[in-house]
Every structure is written in structure tokens, then in C-alpha cells.
Amino acid sequence: MKPRFGLQARFLALVGVTFLVVVCLLFLLLRKERQQQDAVEAQSLEAMHDMAMETLRLRGEGITAQLADRLANPLYYFDLETIGQIIQGTRRQPDVSYVLVFDPQGRVVHDGSADITGYGQNMPDPLAPAAVAANGVRSQWSAHVLDVSAPILVGQHRLGGVRVGYSLDGIRKYEIDTRERLHERLSESSERHLAWVLALLLTLAAASLLGAWLLQRNLVWPIRQLARAAGEIEAGNYVAGRIESARRDEVGNLIRAFTRMHDSIVRQNRDVRRMAYSDSLTGLTNRLGFRESLGERIAALSGGSGQLALAFADIDDFKRINDTLGHEAGDEVIRQYAQRIQRVVERWGGPDTLLARFGGDEFVILVQGSNVRATVRRLAEALIEDFRGPIALHGRRAFLGTSIGISLFPEDAGDAVELMKRGDIAMYQAKRAGKNCYRFYSRAMDEQAAQRLRLEDDLRGAWERGELQVLYQPICRVSDRAVVGAEALLRWEHPERGTIPTPQFISVAERTDLIGELGPRVLRQACNAVAGWRVPSGRPAPFVSVNVSSRQLRDGDLTEQVAACLRESGLPASRLHLELTETALLRDVGLAADLLSRLHKTGVNIWLDDFGTGFSGLSHLRRVPVDGVKIDRSFVADVETDADDLALTTAIIAMARSLGIQAVAEGVETEGQFELLRERGCDLAQGYWLGYPVTAEEFARLLG
Ligand code: C2E
Ligand code: MG
Ligand code: MG
């Protein structure tokens, strides 16, 4: 999370505020200085003015007093010429505006002009009366003039007076000049001040910026780096979460401490992963670890050009080892098998090949590289070849094959889930193809598998929903065509897809555990149905023949189920026939022989279904207690046209005879077929020509 008001921002804000305060203070300082300057200027000017006036006054009074002395005699003698000469001398001084000599009444005696223009006139200006009345030297000011007057005395006798007028213009001009000069000086000094202040401010701003940059570089950036690294570690990106620092300060120490903590987390994480992601039995990567690696590799390759091949390898018939030799032996087999695969993978897989145990007897190999198809093919062939050799097991030798399914990325699947699913489908196909082989995934497989899966889903609960029904097909005695029994056949009416062919859903049920539920239900219903059927007296009570799958033989407690059904329905054991296919028997002859003899002893009849299709040879018939064989309908269908099929059918009937067991023909569709079978001495027959599979109620009516 990015801080809203981080260190950097706070620092800048502080700098900004400080800057502002400094600017304000400086502004106030400058203002104060300006005011002081103005005051200094005013006071200086005033002092200067006073001084200039005083100087002028003193000079004027001196001169005027002197003038009054010098004028005493000439005035006494009324020597106007001398008076004129004396005052001319003063009059010529530059700042003197006028010199007036006057009599005691204040009339002008001489004014310095050649023809004394004002002679005898009273002095009109307002300063005149005071000048005339003065007893000593007297100075008076008007706006433009300093008027200095002194009485002219001879002894105690007053002859008149003299007035000298000094112009103030000179002083004014001087004052103005001085003021300008002073102002100039003060302004210069103030500008210098301002320049200093500005320089100070700029320095402050530069220092702040430098401070901000240093803060950013030395504190903010490392802290952000730490926060980012912590985020990466949190998200599991340990490589991106590692940071280093060569700094020798506290921040450097903090980063180094953080890096040590990172390394410790990585180590712990690795240990945890090792524990969680490896298989305890083989030491290989387990399902969890494999899924994660696969996801990572696919993510890394997405959009690129790399390829992956996934090989699903499953030990064939491993369950048999577990069931017969125990789980410890099973574990030993898994361990040895893992070592073998590991050797093969090391030799044939590339450096990036990953081997994992997926659980049970399933292993997965992930091949990465440029030509994965060729590599994985070589690997699969090498594995199959390797497994031709026996595994040593407590002094015994066991032979186990392996079925391998291969899917390719991105050719077959675009993501991990699909890739695994398709590898599994391909492996299942390899098993179906006879085991101990490998198969590459193809799209056709997928559709089959998807359909099977859908069917499997739908089949669960179909019985409860009433979609499954048991029908009964009549089985007739060939000699007189009398109905002597029925075969119970399961039907599935799918709500959307209509009738599903029985072999199709039976194979799905057999592959899953569903047959374990359906088989006993059919058995119970068939027993109850046939126990309720009544036949006219003199005719033998009908039997019912129920199909039993190989899975029921292996997994279930068939004998107990049969006993329970017979008990429940009250049906005599002799009226129940069980149909087993050749292949079901062949899967484990020992086991089947044992189970069937126990059943046989209770009185239940055992029939071998679809006889002839498996070509197991007749030797099995001697080992298994069989009461009859059902000639497969593929032979019956062609008895009229195909001499070989007729010969085979005839041979089977003859063989049954010689063994003292019944021969039952399936799929009789024409009268011709029926006649041929009768001629050959076949005991029983069933087929559409004799009767379609019908419900229990319809069958009961049929008997009546
Ligand atoms: P199956 O036991 O060989 O059953 C005989 C099959 O042949 C039945 O097919 C029957 O309808 C059919 N069929 C009878 N007469 C004729 C005929 O004249 N012409 C032709 N073309 N076919 C005829 P269905 O019912 O489809 O059963 C197929 C197979 O499904 C059975 O073969 C049996 O192996 C298995 N199956 C049926 N019901 C059950 C069951 O309840 N449990 C087990 N485990 N398998 C069953
Ligand atoms: Mg059958
Ligand atoms: Mg059959």
C-alpha cells in the first residue's frame, strides 16, 4: 500500500511551512527597515535644515552687525554714496536678496540701487515693523527669506537700521539635493539587503531540496524497497523478495537483517515444501508437488513455443499383488517400480524431466523440451521394455506390466487439468488395448471417455428413479417349444436419451462399483418374480437365469447374496441359473472355480454365457462346475448360411452332451435356425422368434 502522507511528503510540507515562515519574517524585517530608513531620512533632513538655518542666521547676524557699525558714520553724515558703496559689497553676496538702510521711522534711506528707487518710502513687508522696532540684532523668517536687522547707533542715539534679506532658495536646493543623495544611498543599501535576503532564501530552498533528495535516497527509497520486498515474500515470490545493500549505516543494517530473515523464511519454506511435496514411500515428488510444478511450467510456457509431454504410467494388475501378497509386498513393488522408472527417466528423459508418484500404483512423468513427442515415446518404450524383466519379491519373481497414457501440451490440452485428464484417458485406453503398452491421447478417446463419464453419472441413482427395469426373455425347450424358463435382462430407459443399449451401460457399471449395487438388485427381483409365476399342473416350474458380471465374482459375496435372495423369495435353488461369461471366468480361474463350486453345491445352476466367443478352450469346462453353455448368437445367426458356424454349433452341442451339460442356443430369429438346432439335438433355445424380453407380468400371462 502506498502511504498517503509519507515521510517524503511530510518532510516537504515541513520545509514548505518553514520556508513560508522565513519569507514572512523577512518581509516584516524588510518593512521595518524601510520604515526606519524613512525615519532616519526625515530626521537627518530636519537636522540638516536646522543646521543650515542656524549657520545662515549666525552668518547673517554677524554680517548685519558689522554692517550696522560700518554704516553709523556715513548715515550720521548722510553720505548716501558711501552708504551705497558699503551695502553694495554685501548686496553682491550670492544669497543676499536685499539690503535696506532705513531711518528710525522705518523709511528707506538706501536700498543699494543706483538711483535709490525706494528712497523715503515705508517698507511694506510684514517683517518691517519688528525690524524697525528691534533694539539689537534680530532675525526673522518668512517663507523665502531670512531677514536680519540691526539698529544703527551713534552712541545711544539711534540713526536708523539696516536689514539684510537672505534668500532661502539656496538652502532649499541644497536640502533637496541632499535628500536625493541620502535617499539614493539608503535605497542602495536596502537593495543590497534585499539581494542578500533573496540569496538567503534561494540557499534555503536549495538546501531544502537537497535535504528532500537525501531523505528520499537514504531513507524513503530503502523503506519503500523493504516494503515492496516484504510484499513479494508475502506473495511467495522469494527471488523478487531478496534485496541487498552495501551501506554501512543503520538502514544498511536493517536491510541486511531483512535479507537474513528472507533467507530463513526461504529455507523454512523449502523444508516445509520438501515434507509436503514428497512421497514418503518412494521419495519422489508427490501429487501435490507435481500439480504445482505442472501449473508453473504451463504458466511459464503459455504463449511461448515450448512443449510438454505428460506420461501417466500405471502398474498392470497391481491390485492382485496387494490382494494376494499383502500390502507390504505391494509397497515393496511400488518402491522397486519407482527405482526402475527413475533409472529409465534418468537415461532417456531430458534434464527437465520430472517424475512423480501420483498415488497408488500411478506414476507421472513430465517431459519438457523441443521434441517432447519423440522423447516421451522413447521413454515409454524403454519403460515397457524394462518391465518385461521380473521383480524380486521375498525370494519370488513377479512379472508386472505397465500401461502408459501420454498427452501433449499445447497440442492436446491448454491447461494442467485438461492435460492430466487426457493423460489419464490415454492410459485407460492403453489398458483397454491389452495393457503393457502405451497410447498417445487422441480426440476420439476423449469423446468416448466423456460419454462414458456422462453415462456413469446418469447411471448412479437410475434404479432409485425407476429408470431401470428387469425384462424376462422366454427360454424354450427345443423338443416341444414349451417355455421352461426366462433370462432376466436389464433395461435402461434414459429420460433424455431413450433406451441405452444394455452392453453399453453394463460395461460402465462393471468399470465402476455400480455393478456391485445393480447385480444383487436384479438377482433379488428376478428370484421374487419367478417365485410368483404359476404354471398349469403337469408342466415343470420355470427357472430364471440371471447374468453375473466378472466384477461380482471378484468383489462381492455372491454366495451370500444368492442364499439371501433364495431365502427371501422361497425359490428352490434349482430354479435359479447364473450366467457367467467365459472372459469373467478366465480372469481368475482358481478363484472362480472355488466360488462356483460352492454355489453349485447349494443347487444353483451355472451356465456359461456367450460360449465360443472367448475361445478359451474346453479345458476350463472341466475345472469349473458348469451346468450348461449358451451358444453365442453370432454363431446361431449364421447357422443357415455359414457351414463353419454350423459345424461349430454342432460341435458345441456334441461337447455339451459328452460332458452331460445342457446346450442353450441364443438369438434364434428364424424357424430355419430353430429347426437346425433341433436336428442337432440342442436342449434349450431363446430368441426373438421364440419370444421377446417382456415384463414379469406379461411373462406370467405367457405361462398361463
Ligand atoms: P446375454 O446374456 O448374452 O443376453 C442375450 C442378449 O441377446 C440380450 O441382449 C437379448 O435381448 C438379446 N437377444 C435375445 N434374443 C435375440 C435375438 O433373437 N436376436 C438378437 N439380435 N438378440 C437377441 P441385451 O438384453 O441387450 O443384453 C446384452 C447383454 O447384457 C447380455 O448378454 C448380458 O451379458 C448383459 N446383461 C443384461 N442384463 C444384465 C444383468 O442384469 N446383469 C449383468 N451382469 N449383465 C447383464
Ligand atoms: Mg445372458
Ligand atoms: Mg449371451
Side-chain angles (χ1 to χ4, degrees):
M1 188 185 77
K2 219 178 157 182
R4 265 176 62 206
F5 197 57
L7 271 184
Q8 179 87 343
R10 269 185 243 182
F11 177 78
L12 283 175
L14 184 71
V15 166
V17 169
T18 314
F19 201 73
L20 254 158
V21 169
V22 169
V23 166
C24 286
L25 284 177
L26 285 175
F27 176 75
L28 288 175
L29 208 74
L30 281 176
R31 230 170 79 123
K32 193 91 191 139
E33 195 191 79
R34 174 61 48 88
Q35 280 170 353
Q36 265 177 357
Q37 251 178 37
D38 289 348
V40 165
E41 202 179 303
Q43 275 173 9
S44 306
L45 285 173
E46 201 182 306
M48 232 158 52
H49 175 79
D50 290 351
M51 213 166 71
M53 291 304 232
E54 191 61 15
T55 311
L56 186 66
R57 186 181 66 80
L58 287 175
R59 185 167 66 94
E61 284 178 359
I63 288 172
T64 312
Q66 236 179 10
L67 208 57
D69 273 355
R70 284 175 63 196
L71 286 168
N73 269 338
L75 187 61
Y76 183 76
Y77 294 107
F78 210 72
D79 180 359
L80 287 176
E81 197 179 332
T82 307
I83 291 172
Q85 280 169 2
I86 289 171
I87 61 175
Q88 270 308 321
T90 304
R91 180 81 172 82
R92 270 198 294 273
Q93 285 183 18
D95 54 346
V96 173
S97 307
Y98 57 87
V99 181
L100 297 171
V101 179
F102 54 89
D103 63 13
Q105 284 74 44
R107 291 183 296 250
V108 173
V109 177
H110 206 307
D111 60 4
S113 58
D115 43 359
I116 315 176
T117 42
Y119 183 80
Q121 290 175 12
N122 277 324
M123 293 180 290
D125 61 294
L127 301 179
V132 173
N135 290 325
V137 178
R138 184 190 176 106
S139 297
Q140 295 183 90
W141 308 92
S142 78
H144 299 287
V145 179
L146 167 66
D147 182 273
V148 187
S149 60
I152 300 172
L153 304 167
V154 171
Q156 289 303 310
H157 183 70
R158 187 178 188 138
L159 300 177
V162 62
R163 285 175 71 192
V164 180
Y166 288 95
S167 162
L168 295 180
D169 289 350
I171 289 183
R172 280 242 162 74
K173 188 167 176 299
Y174 170 74
E175 273 178 8
I176 288 170
D177 284 355
T178 311
R179 173 183 285 152
E180 272 173 9
R181 267 205 314 282
L182 189 69
H183 191 77
E184 226 168 72
R185 292 261 164 80
L186 286 173
S187 293
E188 264 173 28
S189 136
S190 147
E191 272 164 20
R192 259 201 310 280
H193 254 132
L194 193 70
W196 273 109
V197 166
L198 282 177
L200 195 79
L201 277 180
L202 281 177
T203 315
L204 189 71
S208 304
L209 285 178
L210 183 72
W213 179 73
L214 285 175
L215 184 81
Q216 165 80 12
R217 189 171 164 273
N218 294 327
L219 214 58
V220 175
W221 192 73
I223 290 175
R224 285 198 186 146
Q225 207 186 8
L226 277 173
R228 202 172 35 243
E232 295 287 2
I233 293 172
E234 204 180 357
N237 304 326
Y238 295 111
V239 178
R242 194 173 202 283
I243 48 173
E244 275 176 272
S245 169
R247 286 171 58 164
R248 297 260 142 246
D249 55 8
E250 289 83 346
V251 173
N253 287 344
L254 177 66
I255 292 179
R256 275 185 290 282
F258 185 86
T259 309
R260 282 195 299 279
M261 187 182 78
H262 165 275
D263 293 349
S264 144
I265 290 175
V266 168
R267 253 193 321 276
Q268 280 176 17
N269 189 52
R270 208 169 29 225
D271 291 347
V272 169
R273 282 172 73 99
R274 197 180 304 125
M275 280 191 290
Y277 287 169
S278 63
D279 170 49
S280 54
L281 185 61
T282 60
L284 296 176
T285 305
N286 67 8
R287 178 191 294 253
L288 217 62
F290 182 80
R291 276 183 188 280
E292 197 176 298
S293 299
L294 179 63
E296 280 167 9
R297 290 197 192 191
I298 285 188
L301 288 181
S302 287
S305 57
Q307 289 180 306
L308 290 175
L310 183 107
F312 251 102
D314 185 278
I315 307 179
D316 293 333
D317 300 318
F318 174 72
K319 196 176 180 308
R320 210 181 70 215
I321 296 275
N322 248 357
D323 287 350
T324 52
L325 301 175
H327 284 280
E328 267 178 44
D331 285 355
E332 181 55 31
V333 168
I334 298 279
R335 260 195 296 272
Q336 288 196 31
Y337 193 90
Q339 282 165 8
R340 283 182 171 205
I341 307 184
Q342 211 158 7
R343 273 200 305 272
V344 171
V345 165
E346 273 163 23
R347 172 132 191 247
W348 296 102
D352 292 331
T353 300
L354 177 71
L355 168 63
R357 179 173 170 228
F358 220 62
D361 55 343
E362 270 183 2
F363 290 80
V364 274
I365 305 163
L366 188 66
V367 179
Q368 189 167 2
S370 51
N371 193 3
V372 288
R373 185 183 273 274
T375 313
V376 79
R377 186 191 295 277
R378 232 180 11 243
L379 216 141
E381 280 165 3
L383 264 180
I384 285 163
E385 186 53 41
D386 191 81
F387 274 77
R388 287 196 205 287
I391 274 185
L393 211 60
H394 306 308
R396 294 168 62 177
R397 276 149 51 98
F399 288 88
L400 288 171
T402 176
S403 302
I404 303 171
I406 301 166
S407 58
L408 303 173
F409 171 87
E411 214 171 302
D412 298 334
D415 61 47
V417 176
E418 280 293 294
L419 193 67
M420 305 253 284
K421 205 169 99 189
R422 295 189 166 165
D424 195 42
I425 289 169
M427 197 264 288
Y428 175 74
Q429 291 294 331
K431 288 236 185 258
R432 271 176 62 116
K435 302 185 177 172
N436 210 21
C437 62
Y438 67 88
R439 285 286 178 276
F440 276 90
Y441 166 81
S442 77
R443 211 153 279 280
M445 288 180 185
D446 206 18
E447 269 146 33
Q448 285 170 22
Q451 223 173 33
R452 252 198 314 273
L453 275 178
R454 226 174 300 130
L455 217 59
E456 192 183 311
D457 271 355
D458 292 349
L459 190 56
R460 278 180 212 285
W463 183 280
E464 286 80 359
R465 290 192 299 270
E467 290 164 24
L468 288 165
Q469 193 188 13
V470 184
L471 295 189
Y472 300 87
Q473 185 176 31
I475 297 177
C476 305
R477 201 155 49 195
V478 176
S479 53
D480 59 359
R481 276 176 59 188
V483 177
V484 289
E487 181 178 7
L489 294 165
L490 199 53
R491 288 282 174 276
W492 183 14
E493 195 64 25
H494 192 283
E496 285 154 24
R497 296 167 61 189
T499 310
I500 310 285
T502 309
Q504 197 180 330
F505 75 81
I506 288 290
S507 90
V508 169
E510 277 178 342
R511 217 170 37 79
T512 59
D513 52 352
L514 277 168
I515 197 73
E517 291 174 25
L518 292 177
R521 284 172 166 164
V522 173
L523 186 69
R524 178 173 297 119
Q525 209 172 79
C527 288
N528 287 338
V530 75
W533 291 336
R534 299 279 163 262
V535 282
S537 55
R539 295 230 332 247
F543 62 84
V544 69
S545 91
V546 177
N547 294 284
V548 172
S549 95
S550 61
R551 187 110 186 205
Q552 282 171 277
L553 271 190
R554 266 191 292 141
D555 303 343
D557 35 5
L558 190 62
T559 16
E560 286 86 67
Q561 281 169 21
V562 167
C565 287
L566 291 177
R567 223 180 14 253
E568 238 175 68
S569 59
L571 189 75
S574 59
R575 286 175 65 194
L576 176 64
H577 296 194
L578 294 181
E579 293 188 15
L580 291 133
T581 57
E582 253 183 303
T583 37
L585 280 183
L586 282 177
R587 225 161 254 170
D588 214 322
V589 181
L591 193 79
D594 182 47
L595 181 79
L596 293 181
S597 21
R598 268 190 284 142
L599 275 171
H600 192 70
K601 278 192 196 122
T602 65
V604 173
N605 276 241
I606 309 289
W607 278 1
L608 212 51
D609 204 354
D610 304 342
F611 192 77
T613 50
F615 268 97
S616 53
L618 302 174
S619 60
H620 291 305
L621 285 180
R622 292 182 210 284
R623 291 180 58 191
V624 183
V626 169
D627 301 287
V629 287
K630 293 187 83 172
I631 305 164
D632 193 67
R633 68 169 186 273
S634 57
F635 302 112
V636 177
D638 295 331
V639 281
E640 289 173 292
T641 50
D642 191 322
D644 287 342
D645 279 357
L646 181 60
L648 218 108
T649 307
T650 311
I652 294 171
I653 295 169
M655 179 213 68
R657 273 260 161 88
S658 73
L659 287 172
I661 58 176
Q662 283 184 308
V664 189
E666 285 186 321
V668 180
E669 292 183 347
T670 63
E671 192 179 353
Q673 290 165 352
F674 185 78
E675 281 308 315
L676 272 174
L677 289 166
R678 197 165 59 89
E679 276 169 25
R680 297 297 188 277
C682 187
D683 301 297
L684 303 171
Q686 77 185 95
Y688 295 160
W689 188 70
L690 294 162
Y692 285 93
V694 292
T695 61
E697 294 74 37
E698 285 169 328
F699 197 89
R701 277 200 292 278
L702 202 108
L703 285 172

